[in-house]
Amino acid sequence: MKKIECSNELRHKAEEIRYDIISMIAEAGSGHPGGTLSAADIGTVLFFNEMNYDPANPQWEGRDRFILSKGHVAPLFYTLLAHAGFFNRSELMTLRKYKSRLQGHPVSYMLPGVEVSTGSLGQGLSIASGIALACKMDKKFYRVFTLLGDGELQEGQIWEAAMFAAYRKLDNLCAIVDRNHLQIDGNTEDVLALEPLQAKWNAFGWHTIMINGHNISAILDAFREFNEVVNKPTLIIAKTVKGKGVSFMEDQAGWHGKAPKDDEVIQALSEIKARMDA
Amino acid sequence: MKKKDIQPIRDGYGNALIELGKTNPNVLVLDADLSTSTRTNWFAKKFPERFIDVGIAEQNMVDIAAGLSIEGKIPFVTTYGVFVCGRAFDQIRNTVCYSNLNVKIVGSHGGISVGPDGGSHQAIEDIALMRILPHMTVVVPCDHHQAYKATLAMAEMIGPAYLRLAREATAAITDENSAFKIGKAQVLTEGDDCAVFFAGTIGDEVMKAVEMLHKKKMYPTVINMHTIKPIDKKCIIQYAKKFGKIMTIEEHLQAGGLGSAIAEVLVEHYPVKVKMLAIFDRFGESGQPGVLLDAFGLSADKISKKIEQFITEP
Ligand SMILES: Cc1ncc(C[n+]2csc(CCOP(=O)(O)OP(=O)(O)O)c2C)c(N)n1
Ligand SMILES: [Mg+2]
């Protein structure tokens, strides 16, 4: 996989990703734009700079593993896979349709590049820990990345996995929390408060890094830091804005799971296009 | 039968794991703080680097196993049936089965014969929960010999599987040479009076009941349905045709258990009357296993009476 090193190019790539995300959710008529857009910059850096993989050989043993724990942002995952060359971009427009490999939430036996089916929140960190443990047992050197929602952290299983990964010293494991402060019913701090979030993960024995999840160089730096950490798993808390990049969706809980229509699509795409052309 | 061969079937599981430890380097064993009860501690002692005690965290355990299986390991996830099938059902459904992963789930302590611990610890709905899942295989061995063979067979097959074990020491009704194949029902004794299907260690009581019936010159055919899924349709239909009615016996809720699974086949392919001996819409409770089995109508004595009634009624 050819990596994109330049921050500006990565920024541009993230906008291309956003453009396809909006297009495919609009075409599908349903989906989850909010958390998909908030994680677009993180996903772009992961797939086009940080991770090693081979789209021509999705099962290549040395690949880094990626687990999309918050499976509802499948459109982000699919767009990243398509842009990375796992399948043709035109297939993105089949999202959520009958017979499509692009199911509403990712299904591993249907689509190359998907390690495991997700959609039920709270499980990805455990699965990623299992993979990271197997990697250690086999004395291999790949790394395991997983993307979590912040609301998702309310699941008890997350904390079972947090204990497990730290106790097992899984320093090949990097979890990223999309800290957009919103879940379906509102602000996380109003529904079931997560703060002080970083202190909690520190107390669980993790190496934690807090960044602005829309700052490409900060994301790059965070992964660089993860690669230096020994004996501890790493948690990156990426502070983001839900719906980032589409003005009327930004920071609106209502855009968690709703597709844009007609004029909304035109406006969203033109805002993204304007940044791409700038 | 020669000398009585009495052992808990979880011992068969424990021994099979040791065998797998020697022969299959990919086999790993996970437990959630019950390794003494489940016998995984035997494996842990011999292969400590391949044993993972996850602590009291069943949901995490199932998904850790999912991750391990993605990397080619064959994890045997073990704890009490109630806890793994209930607490971690979503993990089994949405991750293990939906991704069709090679994870082996072992629920010890199935049935009311768990005894004094009471209803909270007696899995009587586990077969129902596991058999409804796509991709899942469900095996319920009848004794320690069969538990041993079933464990080895599960390691050989690819895909998710559930193995149900029990706590009590029960008499072996097969021996080390009996054939065992997942999906192939096992006829234990042929008789001309009726057909009785059972699954699990209740087979011990069933075979004692059959001995009692022999004294009364009644001869049931007894079939061990050790595999609930995929179920041996051919065998079920064959005996339904032969006798025109079927009896089922299990230490499980009637809803969704062996009897239900057999009835599903018959209703569609060859409708005949199905008489089910099972647990009816209630939880288990505390008591000595023998006392409980009798109270629930599943002791040899009660079973023999029911079979007799089944044979003689029009
Ligand atoms: C176990 C489970 N419970 C509930 C849901 C329904 N659900 C889908 S997304 C979501 C909110 C997720 O919020 P968050 O984790 O913050 O995601 P993001 O903001 O990144 O979209 C919920 C409750 C689910 N998918 N899984
Ligand atoms: Mg959120």
Side-chain angles (χ1 to χ4, degrees), chain A residues 65 107-109 115-117 120 123 126-127 129-131 133-134 138 142 157 160-161 164 168, chain B residues 28 49 52-54 57 59-60 63-64 67-68 70-71 73 90-91 94-95 98-99 101 135:
Chain A
R65 275 58 163 173
V107 178
S108 54
Y109 58 84
E115 306 280 355
V116 66
S117 308
S120 169
Q123 302 192 38
S126 302
I127 301 165
S129 299
I131 296 175
L133 180 64
D138 294 341
Y142 59 83
Q157 189 187 347
E160 297 178 6
F164 181 87
R168 296 268 165 180
Chain B
L28 305 177
E49 71 294 342
I52 302 153
D53 197 325
V54 299
Q59 304 176 19
N60 191 42
D63 278 340
I64 293 281
L68 292 165
I70 289 169
E71 299 307 320
K73 308 293 183 197
D90 183 41
Q91 287 70 15
N94 266 317
T95 297
Y98 196 36
S99 310
L101 298 175
H135 296 149

mmCIF file of all heavy atoms in Angstrom, chain A residues 65 107-109 115-117 120 123 126-127 129-131 133-134 138 142 157 160-161 164 168, chain B residues 28 49 52-54 57 59-60 63-64 67-68 70-71 73 90-91 94-95 98-99 101 135:
data_model
loop_
_atom_site.group_PDB
_atom_site.id
_atom_site.type_symbol
_atom_site.label_atom_id
_atom_site.label_comp_id
_atom_site.label_asym_id
_atom_site.label_seq_id
_atom_site.Cartn_x
_atom_site.Cartn_y
_atom_site.Cartn_z
ATOM 1 N N ARG A 65 -4.423 -5.090 11.580
ATOM 2 C CA ARG A 65 -5.856 -5.405 11.639
ATOM 3 C C ARG A 65 -6.638 -4.172 12.061
ATOM 4 O O ARG A 65 -6.209 -3.446 12.956
ATOM 5 C CB ARG A 65 -6.106 -6.511 12.660
ATOM 6 C CG ARG A 65 -5.939 -7.954 12.167
ATOM 7 C CD ARG A 65 -4.601 -8.279 11.612
ATOM 8 N NE ARG A 65 -4.346 -9.733 11.531
ATOM 9 C CZ ARG A 65 -3.290 -10.269 10.961
ATOM 10 N NH1 ARG A 65 -2.350 -9.499 10.406
ATOM 11 N NH2 ARG A 65 -3.131 -11.570 10.944
ATOM 12 N N VAL A 107 -20.260 -6.861 7.337
ATOM 13 C CA VAL A 107 -20.343 -8.318 7.480
ATOM 14 C C VAL A 107 -19.079 -8.937 6.887
ATOM 15 O O VAL A 107 -18.783 -8.773 5.708
ATOM 16 C CB VAL A 107 -21.601 -8.881 6.793
ATOM 17 C CG1 VAL A 107 -21.638 -10.400 6.903
ATOM 18 C CG2 VAL A 107 -22.850 -8.280 7.425
ATOM 19 N N SER A 108 -18.362 -9.648 7.732
ATOM 20 C CA SER A 108 -17.015 -10.074 7.353
ATOM 21 C C SER A 108 -16.988 -11.073 6.211
ATOM 22 O O SER A 108 -16.102 -11.042 5.373
ATOM 23 C CB SER A 108 -16.289 -10.664 8.569
ATOM 24 O OG SER A 108 -17.056 -11.687 9.153
ATOM 25 N N TYR A 109 -17.942 -11.998 6.169
ATOM 26 C CA TYR A 109 -17.839 -13.009 5.127
ATOM 27 C C TYR A 109 -18.334 -12.501 3.771
ATOM 28 O O TYR A 109 -18.294 -13.212 2.794
ATOM 29 C CB TYR A 109 -18.492 -14.333 5.526
ATOM 30 C CG TYR A 109 -19.950 -14.280 5.894
ATOM 31 C CD1 TYR A 109 -20.936 -14.325 4.920
ATOM 32 C CD2 TYR A 109 -20.331 -14.209 7.232
ATOM 33 C CE1 TYR A 109 -22.271 -14.287 5.260
ATOM 34 C CE2 TYR A 109 -21.674 -14.172 7.586
ATOM 35 C CZ TYR A 109 -22.635 -14.210 6.592
ATOM 36 O OH TYR A 109 -23.945 -14.177 6.946
ATOM 37 N N GLU A 115 -12.594 -7.739 8.958
ATOM 38 C CA GLU A 115 -12.082 -8.870 9.733
ATOM 39 C C GLU A 115 -13.200 -9.605 10.464
ATOM 40 O O GLU A 115 -13.132 -10.803 10.686
ATOM 41 C CB GLU A 115 -11.056 -8.398 10.774
ATOM 42 C CG GLU A 115 -9.901 -7.568 10.211
ATOM 43 C CD GLU A 115 -8.807 -8.422 9.579
ATOM 44 O OE1 GLU A 115 -8.882 -9.664 9.640
ATOM 45 O OE2 GLU A 115 -7.872 -7.818 9.004
ATOM 46 N N VAL A 116 -14.202 -8.835 10.889
ATOM 47 C CA VAL A 116 -15.249 -9.418 11.718
ATOM 48 C C VAL A 116 -16.509 -8.571 11.552
ATOM 49 O O VAL A 116 -16.418 -7.364 11.317
ATOM 50 C CB VAL A 116 -14.798 -9.476 13.199
ATOM 51 C CG1 VAL A 116 -14.640 -8.079 13.786
ATOM 52 C CG2 VAL A 116 -15.737 -10.299 14.070
ATOM 53 N N SER A 117 -17.652 -9.210 11.663
ATOM 54 C CA SER A 117 -18.912 -8.477 11.556
ATOM 55 C C SER A 117 -19.127 -7.654 12.822
ATOM 56 O O SER A 117 -18.880 -8.142 13.929
ATOM 57 C CB SER A 117 -20.084 -9.445 11.400
ATOM 58 O OG SER A 117 -19.836 -10.354 10.359
ATOM 59 N N SER A 120 -23.320 -4.523 16.758
ATOM 60 C CA SER A 120 -23.734 -4.512 18.154
ATOM 61 C C SER A 120 -22.599 -3.858 18.942
ATOM 62 O O SER A 120 -21.490 -4.386 19.006
ATOM 63 C CB SER A 120 -23.972 -5.941 18.628
ATOM 64 O OG SER A 120 -24.128 -5.954 20.020
ATOM 65 N N GLN A 123 -18.325 -4.418 21.502
ATOM 66 C CA GLN A 123 -17.599 -5.676 21.344
ATOM 67 C C GLN A 123 -16.226 -5.562 20.695
ATOM 68 O O GLN A 123 -15.379 -6.435 20.852
ATOM 69 C CB GLN A 123 -18.455 -6.661 20.534
ATOM 70 C CG GLN A 123 -19.804 -6.926 21.183
ATOM 71 C CD GLN A 123 -20.540 -8.106 20.571
ATOM 72 O OE1 GLN A 123 -19.935 -9.103 20.215
ATOM 73 N NE2 GLN A 123 -21.846 -7.989 20.453
ATOM 74 N N SER A 126 -12.881 -6.017 22.701
ATOM 75 C CA SER A 126 -12.593 -7.404 23.092
ATOM 76 C C SER A 126 -12.044 -8.184 21.907
ATOM 77 O O SER A 126 -11.072 -8.936 22.033
ATOM 78 C CB SER A 126 -13.856 -8.102 23.593
ATOM 79 O OG SER A 126 -14.422 -7.416 24.678
ATOM 80 N N ILE A 127 -12.684 -8.033 20.763
ATOM 81 C CA ILE A 127 -12.246 -8.764 19.567
ATOM 82 C C ILE A 127 -10.816 -8.343 19.215
ATOM 83 O O ILE A 127 -9.948 -9.190 18.964
ATOM 84 C CB ILE A 127 -13.192 -8.488 18.381
ATOM 85 C CG1 ILE A 127 -14.628 -8.910 18.734
ATOM 86 C CG2 ILE A 127 -12.717 -9.213 17.127
ATOM 87 C CD1 ILE A 127 -15.695 -8.364 17.784
ATOM 88 N N SER A 129 -8.626 -7.168 21.184
ATOM 89 C CA SER A 129 -7.721 -7.699 22.207
ATOM 90 C C SER A 129 -7.393 -9.165 21.940
ATOM 91 O O SER A 129 -6.255 -9.596 22.143
ATOM 92 C CB SER A 129 -8.351 -7.559 23.602
ATOM 93 O OG SER A 129 -8.596 -6.208 23.899
ATOM 94 N N GLY A 130 -8.383 -9.913 21.511
ATOM 95 C CA GLY A 130 -8.140 -11.316 21.167
ATOM 96 C C GLY A 130 -7.142 -11.439 20.030
ATOM 97 O O GLY A 130 -6.231 -12.276 20.059
ATOM 98 N N ILE A 131 -7.301 -10.584 19.024
ATOM 99 C CA ILE A 131 -6.372 -10.614 17.893
ATOM 100 C C ILE A 131 -4.967 -10.205 18.364
ATOM 101 O O ILE A 131 -3.968 -10.845 18.017
ATOM 102 C CB ILE A 131 -6.855 -9.679 16.766
ATOM 103 C CG1 ILE A 131 -8.199 -10.181 16.206
ATOM 104 C CG2 ILE A 131 -5.819 -9.567 15.662
ATOM 105 C CD1 ILE A 131 -8.831 -9.273 15.162
ATOM 106 N N LEU A 133 -3.712 -10.494 21.256
ATOM 107 C CA LEU A 133 -3.146 -11.573 22.077
ATOM 108 C C LEU A 133 -2.610 -12.692 21.186
ATOM 109 O O LEU A 133 -1.502 -13.215 21.420
ATOM 110 C CB LEU A 133 -4.209 -12.110 23.031
ATOM 111 C CG LEU A 133 -3.771 -13.247 23.950
ATOM 112 C CD1 LEU A 133 -2.679 -12.792 24.913
ATOM 113 C CD2 LEU A 133 -4.960 -13.795 24.741
ATOM 114 N N ALA A 134 -3.373 -13.055 20.156
ATOM 115 C CA ALA A 134 -2.907 -14.093 19.219
ATOM 116 C C ALA A 134 -1.591 -13.657 18.567
ATOM 117 O O ALA A 134 -0.660 -14.452 18.412
ATOM 118 C CB ALA A 134 -3.967 -14.351 18.143
ATOM 119 N N ASP A 138 1.917 -15.688 18.841
ATOM 120 C CA ASP A 138 2.607 -16.169 17.638
ATOM 121 C C ASP A 138 3.904 -15.396 17.366
ATOM 122 O O ASP A 138 4.528 -15.583 16.322
ATOM 123 C CB ASP A 138 1.670 -16.058 16.418
ATOM 124 C CG ASP A 138 0.476 -17.007 16.542
ATOM 125 O OD1 ASP A 138 0.567 -17.962 17.334
ATOM 126 O OD2 ASP A 138 -0.540 -16.772 15.856
ATOM 127 N N TYR A 142 2.410 -7.502 13.686
ATOM 128 C CA TYR A 142 1.383 -6.591 13.184
ATOM 129 C C TYR A 142 0.723 -5.864 14.362
ATOM 130 O O TYR A 142 0.915 -6.212 15.524
ATOM 131 C CB TYR A 142 0.363 -7.334 12.313
ATOM 132 C CG TYR A 142 -0.377 -8.463 12.991
ATOM 133 C CD1 TYR A 142 -1.497 -8.214 13.776
ATOM 134 C CD2 TYR A 142 0.022 -9.792 12.835
ATOM 135 C CE1 TYR A 142 -2.189 -9.242 14.390
ATOM 136 C CE2 TYR A 142 -0.662 -10.833 13.447
ATOM 137 C CZ TYR A 142 -1.768 -10.550 14.228
ATOM 138 O OH TYR A 142 -2.451 -11.571 14.839
ATOM 139 N N GLN A 157 -18.949 -4.161 28.716
ATOM 140 C CA GLN A 157 -17.933 -5.045 28.136
ATOM 141 C C GLN A 157 -16.658 -4.284 27.762
ATOM 142 O O GLN A 157 -15.565 -4.850 27.777
ATOM 143 C CB GLN A 157 -18.499 -5.757 26.904
ATOM 144 C CG GLN A 157 -17.588 -6.851 26.359
ATOM 145 C CD GLN A 157 -18.083 -7.438 25.057
ATOM 146 O OE1 GLN A 157 -19.233 -7.208 24.661
ATOM 147 N NE2 GLN A 157 -17.245 -8.184 24.380
ATOM 148 N N GLU A 160 -14.458 -4.466 30.666
ATOM 149 C CA GLU A 160 -13.878 -5.808 30.817
ATOM 150 C C GLU A 160 -12.653 -5.915 29.907
ATOM 151 O O GLU A 160 -11.590 -6.393 30.315
ATOM 152 C CB GLU A 160 -14.888 -6.895 30.393
ATOM 153 C CG GLU A 160 -16.156 -6.967 31.238
ATOM 154 C CD GLU A 160 -17.160 -8.033 30.763
ATOM 155 O OE1 GLU A 160 -16.849 -8.809 29.833
ATOM 156 O OE2 GLU A 160 -18.247 -8.103 31.330
ATOM 157 N N ALA A 161 -12.836 -5.446 28.678
ATOM 158 C CA ALA A 161 -11.733 -5.516 27.716
ATOM 159 C C ALA A 161 -10.595 -4.572 28.117
ATOM 160 O O ALA A 161 -9.419 -4.894 27.933
ATOM 161 C CB ALA A 161 -12.239 -5.180 26.316
ATOM 162 N N PHE A 164 -8.598 -6.337 30.608
ATOM 163 C CA PHE A 164 -7.909 -7.477 30.002
ATOM 164 C C PHE A 164 -6.678 -7.030 29.211
ATOM 165 O O PHE A 164 -5.574 -7.558 29.387
ATOM 166 C CB PHE A 164 -8.884 -8.228 29.084
ATOM 167 C CG PHE A 164 -8.300 -9.444 28.428
ATOM 168 C CD1 PHE A 164 -8.318 -10.671 29.064
ATOM 169 C CD2 PHE A 164 -7.711 -9.365 27.177
ATOM 170 C CE1 PHE A 164 -7.768 -11.811 28.471
ATOM 171 C CE2 PHE A 164 -7.158 -10.489 26.569
ATOM 172 C CZ PHE A 164 -7.183 -11.711 27.218
ATOM 173 N N ARG A 168 -2.824 -7.863 30.138
ATOM 174 C CA ARG A 168 -2.037 -8.698 29.216
ATOM 175 C C ARG A 168 -0.964 -7.900 28.479
ATOM 176 O O ARG A 168 -0.325 -8.423 27.554
ATOM 177 C CB ARG A 168 -2.962 -9.372 28.200
ATOM 178 C CG ARG A 168 -3.950 -10.337 28.827
ATOM 179 C CD ARG A 168 -3.407 -11.744 28.868
ATOM 180 N NE ARG A 168 -4.188 -12.581 29.765
ATOM 181 C CZ ARG A 168 -3.926 -13.874 29.997
ATOM 182 N NH1 ARG A 168 -2.910 -14.456 29.401
ATOM 183 N NH2 ARG A 168 -4.657 -14.553 30.841
ATOM 184 N N LEU B 28 -6.736 -23.487 22.131
ATOM 185 C CA LEU B 28 -6.560 -22.678 23.336
ATOM 186 C C LEU B 28 -7.799 -22.881 24.200
ATOM 187 O O LEU B 28 -8.867 -23.199 23.684
ATOM 188 C CB LEU B 28 -6.453 -21.190 22.989
ATOM 189 C CG LEU B 28 -5.385 -20.750 21.988
ATOM 190 C CD1 LEU B 28 -5.510 -19.251 21.741
ATOM 191 C CD2 LEU B 28 -3.993 -21.089 22.489
ATOM 192 N N GLU B 49 0.580 -21.797 29.040
ATOM 193 C CA GLU B 49 0.717 -20.701 28.070
ATOM 194 C C GLU B 49 -0.422 -20.692 27.054
ATOM 195 O O GLU B 49 -0.575 -19.737 26.304
ATOM 196 C CB GLU B 49 2.086 -20.742 27.386
ATOM 197 C CG GLU B 49 2.320 -21.875 26.411
ATOM 198 C CD GLU B 49 2.354 -23.279 27.038
ATOM 199 O OE1 GLU B 49 2.530 -23.436 28.273
ATOM 200 O OE2 GLU B 49 2.186 -24.245 26.266
ATOM 201 N N ILE B 52 -6.226 -19.266 29.089
ATOM 202 C CA ILE B 52 -6.484 -17.862 29.386
ATOM 203 C C ILE B 52 -7.663 -17.756 30.339
ATOM 204 O O ILE B 52 -8.801 -18.043 29.956
ATOM 205 C CB ILE B 52 -6.789 -17.079 28.086
ATOM 206 C CG1 ILE B 52 -5.619 -17.195 27.099
ATOM 207 C CG2 ILE B 52 -7.082 -15.607 28.392
ATOM 208 C CD1 ILE B 52 -6.032 -17.049 25.653
ATOM 209 N N ASP B 53 -7.394 -17.370 31.561
ATOM 210 C CA ASP B 53 -8.484 -17.101 32.489
ATOM 211 C C ASP B 53 -8.801 -15.617 32.349
ATOM 212 O O ASP B 53 -7.974 -14.765 32.679
ATOM 213 C CB ASP B 53 -8.095 -17.446 33.929
ATOM 214 C CG ASP B 53 -9.321 -17.560 34.831
ATOM 215 O OD1 ASP B 53 -10.287 -16.784 34.612
ATOM 216 O OD2 ASP B 53 -9.332 -18.404 35.738
ATOM 217 N N VAL B 54 -9.978 -15.302 31.846
ATOM 218 C CA VAL B 54 -10.320 -13.903 31.576
ATOM 219 C C VAL B 54 -10.914 -13.210 32.797
ATOM 220 O O VAL B 54 -11.250 -12.032 32.732
ATOM 221 C CB VAL B 54 -11.331 -13.773 30.415
ATOM 222 C CG1 VAL B 54 -10.765 -14.342 29.130
ATOM 223 C CG2 VAL B 54 -12.650 -14.432 30.774
ATOM 224 N N ALA B 57 -15.888 -12.436 33.360
ATOM 225 C CA ALA B 57 -16.225 -11.507 32.277
ATOM 226 C C ALA B 57 -16.563 -12.323 31.030
ATOM 227 O O ALA B 57 -15.768 -12.441 30.103
ATOM 228 C CB ALA B 57 -15.057 -10.561 32.023
ATOM 229 N N GLN B 59 -18.778 -11.945 28.569
ATOM 230 C CA GLN B 59 -18.952 -11.285 27.273
ATOM 231 C C GLN B 59 -17.593 -11.033 26.645
ATOM 232 O O GLN B 59 -17.379 -11.284 25.452
ATOM 233 C CB GLN B 59 -19.701 -9.962 27.447
ATOM 234 C CG GLN B 59 -21.041 -10.141 28.135
ATOM 235 C CD GLN B 59 -21.742 -8.814 28.403
ATOM 236 O OE1 GLN B 59 -21.435 -7.800 27.795
ATOM 237 N NE2 GLN B 59 -22.678 -8.824 29.319
ATOM 238 N N ASN B 60 -16.699 -10.526 27.453
ATOM 239 C CA ASN B 60 -15.332 -10.300 26.967
ATOM 240 C C ASN B 60 -14.716 -11.616 26.507
ATOM 241 O O ASN B 60 -14.090 -11.679 25.447
ATOM 242 C CB ASN B 60 -14.500 -9.676 28.092
ATOM 243 C CG ASN B 60 -13.157 -9.174 27.612
ATOM 244 O OD1 ASN B 60 -13.048 -8.568 26.559
ATOM 245 N ND2 ASN B 60 -12.118 -9.421 28.401
ATOM 246 N N ASP B 63 -15.770 -12.677 22.988
ATOM 247 C CA ASP B 63 -15.204 -11.858 21.914
ATOM 248 C C ASP B 63 -13.673 -11.934 21.846
ATOM 249 O O ASP B 63 -13.093 -11.795 20.765
ATOM 250 C CB ASP B 63 -15.658 -10.404 22.059
ATOM 251 C CG ASP B 63 -17.062 -10.199 21.467
ATOM 252 O OD1 ASP B 63 -17.482 -11.037 20.651
ATOM 253 O OD2 ASP B 63 -17.719 -9.207 21.821
ATOM 254 N N ILE B 64 -13.027 -12.176 22.965
ATOM 255 C CA ILE B 64 -11.584 -12.450 22.924
ATOM 256 C C ILE B 64 -11.367 -13.713 22.073
ATOM 257 O O ILE B 64 -10.503 -13.763 21.203
ATOM 258 C CB ILE B 64 -11.018 -12.696 24.352
ATOM 259 C CG1 ILE B 64 -11.066 -11.427 25.191
ATOM 260 C CG2 ILE B 64 -9.607 -13.280 24.296
ATOM 261 C CD1 ILE B 64 -9.979 -10.432 24.940
ATOM 262 N N GLY B 67 -11.659 -12.978 18.443
ATOM 263 C CA GLY B 67 -10.417 -12.409 17.914
ATOM 264 C C GLY B 67 -9.352 -13.476 17.719
ATOM 265 O O GLY B 67 -8.669 -13.515 16.689
ATOM 266 N N LEU B 68 -9.214 -14.362 18.678
ATOM 267 C CA LEU B 68 -8.218 -15.439 18.570
ATOM 268 C C LEU B 68 -8.536 -16.338 17.379
ATOM 269 O O LEU B 68 -7.638 -16.752 16.637
ATOM 270 C CB LEU B 68 -8.201 -16.268 19.862
ATOM 271 C CG LEU B 68 -7.665 -15.554 21.113
ATOM 272 C CD1 LEU B 68 -8.038 -16.332 22.377
ATOM 273 C CD2 LEU B 68 -6.146 -15.372 21.036
ATOM 274 N N ILE B 70 -10.052 -15.570 14.645
ATOM 275 C CA ILE B 70 -9.751 -14.866 13.390
ATOM 276 C C ILE B 70 -8.291 -15.115 13.003
ATOM 277 O O ILE B 70 -7.947 -15.202 11.827
ATOM 278 C CB ILE B 70 -10.035 -13.354 13.545
ATOM 279 C CG1 ILE B 70 -11.537 -13.106 13.619
ATOM 280 C CG2 ILE B 70 -9.421 -12.550 12.397
ATOM 281 C CD1 ILE B 70 -11.916 -11.694 14.033
ATOM 282 N N GLU B 71 -7.451 -15.291 13.991
ATOM 283 C CA GLU B 71 -6.024 -15.527 13.740
ATOM 284 C C GLU B 71 -5.677 -17.016 13.680
ATOM 285 O O GLU B 71 -4.523 -17.397 13.854
ATOM 286 C CB GLU B 71 -5.182 -14.811 14.792
ATOM 287 C CG GLU B 71 -5.365 -13.296 14.786
ATOM 288 C CD GLU B 71 -5.142 -12.690 13.394
ATOM 289 O OE1 GLU B 71 -4.217 -13.121 12.673
ATOM 290 O OE2 GLU B 71 -5.904 -11.774 13.024
ATOM 291 N N LYS B 73 -6.609 -19.555 15.665
ATOM 292 C CA LYS B 73 -6.645 -20.373 16.876
ATOM 293 C C LYS B 73 -8.004 -21.083 16.964
ATOM 294 O O LYS B 73 -8.972 -20.665 16.338
ATOM 295 C CB LYS B 73 -6.470 -19.504 18.125
ATOM 296 C CG LYS B 73 -5.254 -18.585 18.089
ATOM 297 C CD LYS B 73 -3.976 -19.375 18.131
ATOM 298 C CE LYS B 73 -2.766 -18.441 18.165
ATOM 299 N NZ LYS B 73 -1.536 -19.175 17.802
ATOM 300 N N ASP B 90 -25.515 -12.104 22.972
ATOM 301 C CA ASP B 90 -25.334 -11.155 21.869
ATOM 302 C C ASP B 90 -23.954 -11.307 21.231
ATOM 303 O O ASP B 90 -23.803 -11.208 20.013
ATOM 304 C CB ASP B 90 -25.515 -9.723 22.397
ATOM 305 C CG ASP B 90 -25.419 -8.694 21.287
ATOM 306 O OD1 ASP B 90 -25.957 -8.953 20.198
ATOM 307 O OD2 ASP B 90 -24.808 -7.641 21.507
ATOM 308 N N GLN B 91 -22.951 -11.580 22.060
ATOM 309 C CA GLN B 91 -21.601 -11.786 21.525
ATOM 310 C C GLN B 91 -21.567 -13.055 20.663
ATOM 311 O O GLN B 91 -20.914 -13.085 19.621
ATOM 312 C CB GLN B 91 -20.588 -11.910 22.682
ATOM 313 C CG GLN B 91 -20.282 -10.605 23.408
ATOM 314 C CD GLN B 91 -21.423 -10.067 24.250
ATOM 315 O OE1 GLN B 91 -22.390 -10.761 24.564
ATOM 316 N NE2 GLN B 91 -21.328 -8.812 24.640
ATOM 317 N N ASN B 94 -24.027 -12.029 17.459
ATOM 318 C CA ASN B 94 -23.621 -10.966 16.528
ATOM 319 C C ASN B 94 -22.164 -11.021 16.104
ATOM 320 O O ASN B 94 -21.810 -10.477 15.066
ATOM 321 C CB ASN B 94 -23.920 -9.600 17.144
ATOM 322 C CG ASN B 94 -25.281 -9.078 16.695
ATOM 323 O OD1 ASN B 94 -25.621 -9.188 15.527
ATOM 324 N ND2 ASN B 94 -26.041 -8.535 17.613
ATOM 325 N N THR B 95 -21.329 -11.639 16.916
ATOM 326 C CA THR B 95 -19.922 -11.712 16.510
ATOM 327 C C THR B 95 -19.563 -13.128 16.057
ATOM 328 O O THR B 95 -19.154 -13.331 14.922
ATOM 329 C CB THR B 95 -18.997 -11.235 17.648
ATOM 330 O OG1 THR B 95 -19.289 -9.857 17.910
ATOM 331 C CG2 THR B 95 -17.533 -11.359 17.252
ATOM 332 N N TYR B 98 -22.555 -14.616 13.469
ATOM 333 C CA TYR B 98 -22.761 -13.736 12.310
ATOM 334 C C TYR B 98 -21.501 -13.667 11.450
ATOM 335 O O TYR B 98 -21.573 -13.513 10.232
ATOM 336 C CB TYR B 98 -23.169 -12.339 12.804
ATOM 337 C CG TYR B 98 -23.769 -11.443 11.744
ATOM 338 C CD1 TYR B 98 -24.582 -11.940 10.743
ATOM 339 C CD2 TYR B 98 -23.538 -10.068 11.778
ATOM 340 C CE1 TYR B 98 -25.148 -11.103 9.782
ATOM 341 C CE2 TYR B 98 -24.094 -9.217 10.830
ATOM 342 C CZ TYR B 98 -24.903 -9.748 9.835
ATOM 343 O OH TYR B 98 -25.447 -8.911 8.889
ATOM 344 N N SER B 99 -20.336 -13.800 12.086
ATOM 345 C CA SER B 99 -19.085 -13.821 11.317
ATOM 346 C C SER B 99 -18.660 -15.258 11.004
ATOM 347 O O SER B 99 -17.622 -15.470 10.402
ATOM 348 C CB SER B 99 -17.956 -13.135 12.093
ATOM 349 O OG SER B 99 -18.342 -11.877 12.571
ATOM 350 N N LEU B 101 -17.410 -17.694 12.947
ATOM 351 C CA LEU B 101 -16.054 -17.902 13.467
ATOM 352 C C LEU B 101 -15.901 -19.266 14.129
ATOM 353 O O LEU B 101 -16.854 -19.835 14.655
ATOM 354 C CB LEU B 101 -15.705 -16.792 14.466
ATOM 355 C CG LEU B 101 -15.690 -15.386 13.882
ATOM 356 C CD1 LEU B 101 -15.454 -14.344 14.987
ATOM 357 C CD2 LEU B 101 -14.625 -15.246 12.797
ATOM 358 N N HIS B 135 -25.430 -21.005 11.542
ATOM 359 C CA HIS B 135 -24.020 -21.427 11.558
ATOM 360 C C HIS B 135 -23.649 -22.293 12.767
ATOM 361 O O HIS B 135 -22.615 -22.939 12.785
ATOM 362 C CB HIS B 135 -23.024 -20.257 11.506
ATOM 363 C CG HIS B 135 -23.103 -19.464 10.243
ATOM 364 N ND1 HIS B 135 -22.829 -18.113 10.189
ATOM 365 C CD2 HIS B 135 -23.424 -19.823 8.996
ATOM 366 C CE1 HIS B 135 -22.991 -17.683 8.944
ATOM 367 N NE2 HIS B 135 -23.354 -18.705 8.199
#
